[in-house]
Structures are given as C-alpha cells and as structure tokens.
Amino acid sequence: MPPALPDYYAVLQVSPTAEAAVIEAAYRQLARLYHPDVNRAPDAKERMQALNAAYEVLGDPQRRAEYDAERAARLKAGARLVDVERDGEWITFRLGPSYDPFGTLTALQASIPPDGRRWDALGQRWRVHADYADALARLFANYGASGMALAANDAAPSEPRSALPQFTALGVCLIALALLVYVANTPTGIQWRSRIAGSVVSLAARIDPAVSGDLTVAFLAALAVLTLGAVAWLAHKPSPRR
C-alpha cells in the first residue's frame, strides 16, 4: 500500500483550484505566523517545515501538476458512490467510505458548479445533473461499473404527467368565458359593448368605409382563440428542472 499523500492544499489552507498568486500569498502569510523566530510554540518548527514542503510542490507548476494527478488518482481509487439512482434529469447518490472524505468532497464541489449539484439534507443524498455524468466518472472509480453510469445524453425515464392542471385551466377558462358572455348580455354590458363597438367601427371606417356591423362575434372568437392557446401552452409547457 503506498504511503499516504500529504494534503498540501490543507497545509496552506487554500482551495485545490487556487491560482499561483493565491498560493504564494497564503504561504507568505502563514510563514510570518509560524516561523520559529517569531512563534515560540513547541510545534512551530514542524509546522514551518510542513509549509515549506507544501510550497515547494504547489509553488512549482510542474510539480504541482504531478501532485494533482497523483492526488486525483488516489481520490478516485479510494472514493465510491453508493445507492446511485436516476431521478429525471438528476443523478442521486451517497458518498461511500473514502480514505480522504474531505478531499473527495472538495473535488466534487470543484468539478461540478453549484447549479449542477444539490445536497438533499432531508434524504442525505447528493443530486448531480446528468450533464455532469462525465465528471462523476472522472472522480469515482466505481461509477460506470456494472451499468451504474447513466450518460448525460441517455433518455431520462418518462415521468407520468397528471392531466389535472390542464383540465383545471380549461375549466377556469370556460367559466371565465361564460361569465364574460353573461356580462356582455346584461343591460350594462350591452351599453358598454355598443359604445366600444361603435368606437371601433367608427375608427375602422376611417380606414375602410366598408367596415361595419356588430363586433360581438369577432370579440368572442378572439377570446376563444386566446383561451385555447392558453390551454395548449399549459398542456405542452416543459417541466422545469428540479
């Protein structure tokens, strides 16, 4: 079994994705704090040696790349996903035992942006969007084994959609249409309808003298078209991502 790999990022208290300038600044700040000449703590010398060792690796681009590759390989070999399931556009799972749980969690968060992952506190499960299935395959050795992997372009299982919202919307639209027809035929409605129709016809006659007649039919036809359009939109509206 290979010896444990030091977590140089934890030693310098920086993220694995930190830029070179951030790593250098962190090293200088911690060195001023723990240098044996200014820090009289018994472990100051050991901490300063650890800081120097970490900076020697992370401060050199080539050595850092080699270290990152070894770290990623060990994290992948030692990390497992359990209880993997597909839930629509999301892949849900639990993180299995790992020799470096913090490193595994950090790598997961660094590889997948916040809008592509969610933590289900109630179910104690991670939810990762299927678009990032490749990232899971890079991070976890057992992802993809025994048919576990679910590629991002796989067809998600169809979820039964209830017709109740559509029927409810249709019922509301029909009730509203009936109320409008009723109001339009009351004495007050007829009076207002005549005024509106007269104004519209008068305006249209200025453009085309042949325009005339009662606009009630046209009004109801337009309302019916809008109603059917709203119902059709509700019936085919795509489901939002959960």
Side-chain angles (χ1 to χ4, degrees):
M1 183 176 181
L5 190 68
D7 190 347
Y8 291 140
Y9 291 106
V11 172
L12 293 180
Q13 301 177 23
V14 295
S15 166
T17 59
E19 297 181 354
V22 175
I23 291 175
E24 181 179 359
Y27 168 73
R28 293 185 182 281
Q29 181 179 2
L30 292 172
R32 287 195 296 269
L33 181 63
Y34 292 109
H35 197 283
D37 291 344
V38 296
N39 192 318
R40 301 302 180 184
D43 62 342
K45 182 178 180 180
E46 288 75 11
R47 298 197 68 166
M48 192 64 213
Q49 290 175 343
L51 289 172
N52 289 333
Y55 186 66
E56 286 178 3
V57 173
L58 300 185
D60 183 285
Q62 182 175 353
R63 294 186 65 182
R64 182 183 180 183
E66 295 173 353
Y67 171 78
D68 285 344
E70 177 65 18
R71 183 172 178 269
R74 294 201 183 193
L75 285 175
K76 182 174 181 178
R80 293 289 185 273
L81 296 182
V82 296
D83 299 335
V84 181
E85 297 178 0
R86 182 66 173 266
D87 182 10
E89 296 181 333
W90 297 88
I91 301 168
T92 69
F93 55 86
R94 302 178 194 274
L95 293 179
S98 172
Y99 84 95
D100 185 3
F102 178 77
T104 300
L105 180 60
T106 301
L108 174 66
Q109 294 174 331
S111 301
I112 301 174
D115 61 348
R117 55 178 162 82
R118 298 178 183 175
W119 169 246
D120 180 5
L122 183 61
Q124 294 294 296
R125 299 173 64 86
W126 277 99
R127 296 167 60 86
V128 170
H129 196 270
D131 288 347
Y132 300 97
D134 290 343
L136 293 179
R138 291 193 299 269
L139 291 172
F140 301 97
N142 72 326
Y143 187 79
S146 303
M148 176 183 289
L150 297 164
N153 58 357
D154 286 349
S158 58
E159 299 179 357
R161 298 183 61 186
S162 171
L164 182 60
Q166 286 74 36
F167 283 122
T168 302
L170 177 60
V172 171
C173 290
L174 290 177
I175 292 173
L177 179 60
L179 289 175
L180 285 173
V181 172
Y182 171 77
V183 172
N185 286 279
T186 60
T188 303
I190 292 173
Q191 182 180 2
W192 279 99
R193 189 180 66 189
S194 299
R195 291 181 181 178
I196 295 174
S199 300
V200 174
V201 171
S202 175
L203 179 62
R206 297 180 183 179
I207 302 173
D208 185 356
V211 175
S212 62
D214 191 353
L215 296 182
T216 302
V217 175
F219 168 73
L220 293 179
L223 185 61
V225 170
L226 290 175
T227 300
L228 293 176
V231 173
W233 180 80
L234 288 172
H236 297 90
K237 183 176 65 172
S239 301
R241 290 182 178 180
R242 287 168 290 177

